[in-house]
Amino acid sequence: MAANRFHDILGTVGRTPIVRINKLAPARVNVFAKVEAFNPMGSVKDRLALGVIEDAERRGALKPGQTVIEATSGNTGIGLAMVCAVKGFPLVVTMAENFSVERRRMMRFLGAKVVLTPAALKGSGMLAKAVELAQAHGWFLCRQFENEANADMHTRTTAPEILAAFEGERLDYFVTGYGTGGTLKGVARVLRQARPDTRIVVCEPDNSPILGSGLPQPRAADGTPGESHPAFRPHLMQGWSPDFIPKLTQDAITAHWIDRVLPINGADAVRRAKELAQQEGIFAGISAGATLAGALQIAEEAPDGATILCMLPDTGERYLSTPLFEGIGIDMTQEELAISRSTPGARFDAAAPPPPAAPAQQPVAPPVSKDVEAFVEALLADAAQPVVLFALEWCEFCWSVRKLFATLGVPYRSVDLDSTEYQRDDRGGQIRAVLAARTGKRTIPQVFVGGQWIGGCTETLDLAKEGRLQAMLKAQGVACDEGVRVEPGALLPAWLQPR
């Protein structure tokens, strides 16, 4: 294909930039970061996903139309969802329930099915579930923690990118974490051959020192982890350090490619991720903050002129519901309120300006046609479709009512007054005038059940919470799930939900 033109999105995986860290690093050394958020789905695991699937296709291990399954903390699943969407494979992922909700929503948005496992069972639990499902249904299991195609992808792509970026220059330290061990093994074996003087530093959570403990990993007969590592403890770095030593990581240990294991504090990881965003303009996740914390620790010890490269595995967008965003509010702070109050306009605490004086002659609204009045009457009298929602296509409050009906399984007719269907001759505006004359309200949405107006968004949500809406529906012969408990706050637009 032509330069910067690709056959599909998979052609954009890899070739991520290496960026100098300027403000956070000591001036006497050179600290660089490989920003894997530039992959199409925002993480280094896009490389793994593409490598594993294409390898399985080449070997015939993955047949056309076969379901792919994998255990993941999120990033691998997101990458696999992208690859499987392009290649036409159904995807099921298993994921512990305590990983960030953004990840499971992204995977489902890309078409994957997400099966949650109890948090108490940790990473080994979600892995065991994936194995169980693969065996039961004949699905292709990616086995990212021991699949050589994972490490091979980094040997073919990540490592050469690093070598090319530092050709003819020093590269004293390569700092990385480990999740599957694919980046570690795939890059380390190339650096050992091409740059034997480069020291390879592996970071892990200080409260979960699996590698640092020196204790062996219990394994089943097939080499997979038989149980959690005895040194594992829950930690903040999602995607880093599962509760076992993956085979690919063990391979790097056995080959003596790791020069140092560096423990990283969770609070330092969060702090460095925030500093990375606010001082370097690089938006990355907690594991990236942890790796940067390790690189900066090395920088303090390194000789003058040393060059350090660290891996930043993913973007910060999939950490919105985690401690990384603790204290990052959605309401204005006192400082922001002070800025707002420094000028008189568009303030929440200021009185609304007086309405403009009425013109001498008010414009006359066009008369409502008889056929529009008849149309509304017919809609509300239609016993075959007792629930009618008069709405706007993209109004958040209208969507709240739609979500309510979807939650309860209620069939309804939606009349979207701003849609192209109702724009001609201002038909939508005329319908709105008919509704206003009937209900005394000009607001939208307007909800009717059996020809009876029940209100707008909040009134409808409140009726559902009290169970009165369900009773009205039952009286009209409308099916609904009466066992669903409705929490109106959860259905309102995000900016209005109770906090």
Side-chain angles (χ1 to χ4, degrees):
M1 301 290 286
N4 209 34
R5 234 177 72 192
F6 301 92
H7 176 70
D8 57 41
I9 193 66
L10 304 183
T12 68
V13 173
R15 297 179 295 279
T16 55
I18 291 175
V19 179
R20 185 182 180 92
I21 303 299
N22 295 293
K23 295 179 183 176
L24 298 177
R28 62 181 187 80
V29 296
N30 307 298
V31 177
F32 292 89
K34 192 156 179 57
V35 188
E36 289 296 298
F38 277 75
N39 280 300
M41 290 311 302
S43 91
V44 67
K45 299 299 180 67
D46 290 357
R47 299 179 189 259
L48 177 165
L50 182 59
V52 165
I53 294 300
E54 291 193 336
D55 171 75
E57 287 181 302
R58 283 192 298 268
R59 293 186 292 107
L62 176 58
K63 307 295 191 297
Q66 186 178 6
T67 295
V68 175
I69 184 167
E70 183 60 329
T72 171
S73 65
N75 281 332
T76 295
I78 292 168
L80 283 170
M82 170 191 66
V83 175
C84 289
V86 173
K87 292 180 173 287
F89 295 111
L91 173 67
V92 175
V93 300
T94 59
M95 186 169 75
E97 62 180 329
N98 55 317
F99 292 117
S100 66
V101 296
E102 296 86 63
R103 301 177 185 217
R104 67 179 81 158
R105 295 184 75 183
M106 288 180 68
M107 287 184 278
R108 287 172 176 148
F109 189 84
L110 286 159
K113 300 291 187 294
V114 181
V115 176
L116 299 178
T117 58
L121 299 181
K122 298 171 279 192
S124 54
M126 67 185 189
L127 178 57
K129 184 65 173 179
V131 171
E132 182 181 75
L133 287 170
Q135 292 173 347
H137 301 292
W139 295 342
F140 172 74
L141 179 62
C142 295
R143 298 187 180 275
Q144 60 175 318
F145 296 101
E146 60 258 15
N147 194 327
E148 285 299 324
N150 175 0
D152 290 346
M153 186 65 168
H154 289 285
T155 295
R156 292 197 312 272
T157 65
T158 315
E161 291 168 25
I162 292 170
L163 293 179
F166 293 98
E167 185 175 5
E169 302 177 23
R170 293 176 63 170
L171 179 56
D172 300 282
Y173 300 89
F174 173 67
V175 183
T176 185
Y178 73 95
T180 65
T183 302
L184 170 60
K185 179 178 180 179
V187 173
R189 63 185 170 195
V190 174
L191 291 182
R192 272 292 178 265
Q193 183 71 29
R195 304 291 291 259
D197 294 333
T198 299
R199 294 189 49 132
I200 296 169
V201 180
V202 177
C203 302
E204 66 177 355
D206 64 352
N207 69 319
S208 185
I210 293 179
L211 301 189
S213 71
L215 297 173
Q217 170 64 50
R219 296 191 184 276
D222 61 359
T224 58
E227 58 187 73
S228 292
H229 191 279
F232 174 80
R233 299 293 182 275
H235 57 80
L236 277 176
M237 292 72 140
Q238 294 188 23
W240 248 30
S241 306
D243 65 311
F244 55 89
I245 300 176
K247 178 185 178 299
L248 298 177
T249 301
Q250 185 63 56
D251 291 345
I253 297 170
T254 303
H256 303 290
W257 291 332
I258 300 173
D259 295 299
R260 182 176 178 182
V261 175
L262 198 60
I264 305 297
N265 179 263
D268 288 341
V270 170
R271 176 171 60 88
R272 290 303 190 186
K274 290 180 178 178
E275 291 175 348
L276 193 62
Q278 295 171 7
Q279 297 186 45
E280 302 285 348
I282 298 174
F283 189 40
I286 298 176
S287 54
T291 315
L292 178 66
L296 294 179
Q297 185 174 328
I298 295 295
E300 293 296 333
E301 308 168 3
D304 291 356
T307 296
I308 303 159
L309 172 66
C310 67
M311 295 292 291
L312 304 185
D314 66 2
T315 175
E317 288 183 349
R318 54 206 55 169
Y319 294 86
L320 295 173
S321 61
T322 74
L324 182 61
F325 278 79
E326 185 70 30
I328 306 297
I330 59 174
D331 295 319
M332 283 194 286
T333 64
Q334 290 302 311
E335 184 179 3
E336 290 163 342
L337 284 168
I339 294 171
S340 171
R341 291 164 182 160
S342 67
T343 59
R347 285 166 45 177
F348 291 102
D349 61 341
Q361 184 175 357
Q362 294 282 359
V364 179
V368 175
S369 68
K370 294 296 183 182
D371 72 303
V372 170
E373 292 180 341
F375 172 74
V376 173
E377 288 294 333
L379 278 180
L380 300 181
D382 185 358
Q385 188 73 73
V387 182
V388 182
L389 168 66
F390 292 93
L392 301 174
E393 282 191 308
W394 304 114
C395 167
E396 289 183 283
F397 295 99
C398 297
W399 274 103
S400 295
V401 177
R402 297 185 205 277
K403 286 190 286 186
L404 170 67
F405 288 162
T407 301
L408 295 175
V410 175
Y412 66 99
R413 176 166 182 173
S414 181
V415 181
D416 299 330
L417 303 178
D418 59 340
S419 66
T420 55
E421 181 180 358
Y422 293 100
Q423 285 181 11
R424 181 174 297 178
D425 299 326
D426 192 31
R427 189 173 177 83
Q430 292 193 56
I431 293 173
R432 196 163 183 171
V434 171
L435 294 174
R438 176 183 284 264
T439 67
K441 302 286 186 181
R442 294 198 62 84
T443 54
I444 296 295
Q446 299 284 353
V447 182
F448 290 78
V449 175
Q452 177 186 351
W453 176 65
I454 66 170
C457 173
T458 55
E459 294 88 351
T460 304
L461 294 178
D462 288 341
L463 286 171
K465 182 177 182 180
E466 296 164 6
R468 292 162 59 196
L469 174 63
Q470 292 86 329
M472 292 179 190
L473 295 170
K474 188 174 183 179
Q476 294 294 324
V478 178
C480 74
D481 190 342
E482 297 183 59
V484 174
R485 182 179 176 184
V486 177
E487 289 297 336
L491 298 174
L492 287 169
W495 54 274
L496 277 177
Q497 289 185 17
R499 291 185 292 276

